[in-house]
Amino acid sequence: SLDPDEAAAWLAGYFALWHPAVLAAVGRPPQPASAYDHDPPADGAIYAVPDGPHLYQSGDWNDRVTAANGIAVRAAPNRDETRYRLLAENGTDVVWLLDLPTMRFVYFSPSIQKQRGYTVAEALQQSIDDMLTPESAALAHRLITERLAALKAGDESARTQTTEIEQLHRDGRTVFTEVVSTFITNARGETLQLQGVTRDITARKEAEAKITQLSQATEQSPAGVVITSLDNRIEYVNPAFERITGYSRDEVIGQDPRLLQSGKTPPEV
């Protein structure tokens, strides 16, 4: 079975895998190669081929290995690889993979349908511009370009980034999402893929908007508003409170509300 590091590389989706049992059997070292059409199997290379469906390798991979006089050895995934696959295929977040040379998506997890209303097959036909609002599409293109340049210059902080992106649902509404994306670099130093996880944060954004709305209403209220902590200390007062009581915000924050009974407050308060 594959060890955890090999399983992680397998799920990352780029390198053809091999493991020690295969090397011992064939007696010669493997050649690094990609599992994508733009980088076909190397002549005579040794590949470990997954025993079952693979997240990223295309269905004709075995045929292409054979056509290149390669050696394809089936490798049974271990429990770690199976767990990662189950997480990707059954989670609520969307796992995806973008091929940078073509700027086309080559994988979406099934949760894309719940998040955006499109099937995997339909989503794979869409470009970044099709999927996102115009503002978010422009942001995505700019960030990819800037991050690739930074990564090429040696800035590893550009490899993984979290960004809020607005996506388009099939029914026309906007889905607010948080995207964590990571560039994948192969053994030859080529960065040809961007993989990511997209989480729907629409409910969180709506809650934040309501809090902002409530805060603005409180600030603009003609009535005095005081908010205290559990230990009975003033944490917030609005402008109307300052106007009515004569106390400034700085004077009362952290004080006990009994301060208002000190005799300095107008009786009508």
Side-chain angles (χ1 to χ4, degrees):
S1 65
L2 303 176
D3 66 35
D5 289 339
E6 289 175 312
W10 188 346
L11 285 172
Y14 192 71
F15 298 113
L17 296 181
W18 46 82
H19 59 70
V22 175
L23 303 184
V26 298
R28 55 192 173 94
Q31 302 296 318
S34 164
Y36 280 90
D37 291 335
H38 59 69
D39 192 2
D43 185 25
I46 301 169
Y47 302 90
V49 181
D51 186 13
H54 190 287
L55 292 183
Y56 307 118
Q57 288 179 349
S58 59
D60 66 344
W61 177 246
N62 290 3
D63 295 336
R64 288 189 286 136
V65 169
T66 302
N69 298 314
I71 300 174
V73 180
R74 304 198 68 79
N78 71 353
R79 285 178 296 179
D80 287 330
E81 192 276 338
T82 300
R83 183 173 68 252
Y84 298 146
R85 180 189 298 168
L86 287 172
L87 287 173
E89 297 292 341
N90 298 288
T92 56
D93 294 348
V94 175
V95 180
W96 51 266
L97 187 70
L98 178 68
D99 180 67
L100 294 173
T102 63
M103 289 301 289
R104 303 297 298 186
F105 289 94
V106 294
Y107 174 78
F108 282 110
S109 58
S111 49
I112 187 70
Q113 187 161 6
K114 181 177 181 181
Q115 190 172 99
R116 295 188 54 241
Y118 294 95
T119 66
V120 170
E122 290 170 333
L124 288 173
Q125 298 302 311
Q126 297 180 321
S127 67
I128 289 177
D129 294 329
D130 296 328
M131 296 175 56
L132 310 182
T133 63
E135 296 79 7
S136 283
L139 175 63
H141 286 296
R142 177 173 62 81
L143 289 178
I144 288 174
T145 300
E146 291 176 353
R147 290 172 60 195
L148 280 172
L151 199 59
K152 187 176 181 179
D155 182 5
E156 279 296 319
S157 68
R159 184 173 297 279
T160 298
Q161 188 174 88
T162 301
T163 313
E164 289 191 4
I165 294 291
E166 297 177 4
Q167 302 202 38
L168 299 173
H169 195 278
R170 189 182 201 117
D171 63 13
R173 61 188 168 92
T174 297
V175 180
F176 296 92
T177 64
E178 183 178 77
V179 179
V180 180
S181 59
T182 301
F183 286 111
I184 304 300
T185 302
N186 66 15
R188 294 182 293 277
E190 302 166 322
T191 303
L192 301 177
Q193 297 173 313
L194 182 66
Q195 68 175 21
V197 178
T198 300
R199 172 167 294 180
D200 187 343
I201 60 169
T202 302
R204 188 178 84 190
K205 298 294 286 187
E206 290 175 347
E208 290 173 352
K210 289 180 180 178
I211 291 172
T212 299
Q213 184 180 32
L214 177 61
S215 175
Q216 291 174 343
T218 303
E219 282 285 303
Q220 298 168 11
S221 173
V225 177
V226 180
I227 298 177
T228 63
S229 63
L230 293 176
D231 60 354
N232 207 33
R233 295 294 172 179
I234 297 175
E235 292 186 334
Y236 168 84
V237 296
N238 69 344
F241 172 92
E242 295 179 285
R243 185 180 66 254
I244 294 170
T245 66
Y247 286 104
S248 71
R249 184 172 301 185
D250 290 340
E251 287 179 299
V252 298
I253 295 299
Q255 300 296 321
D256 191 298
R258 286 178 294 183
L259 172 74
L260 301 177
Q261 302 171 2
S262 64
K264 296 181 180 180
T265 307
E268 62 270 20
V269 177

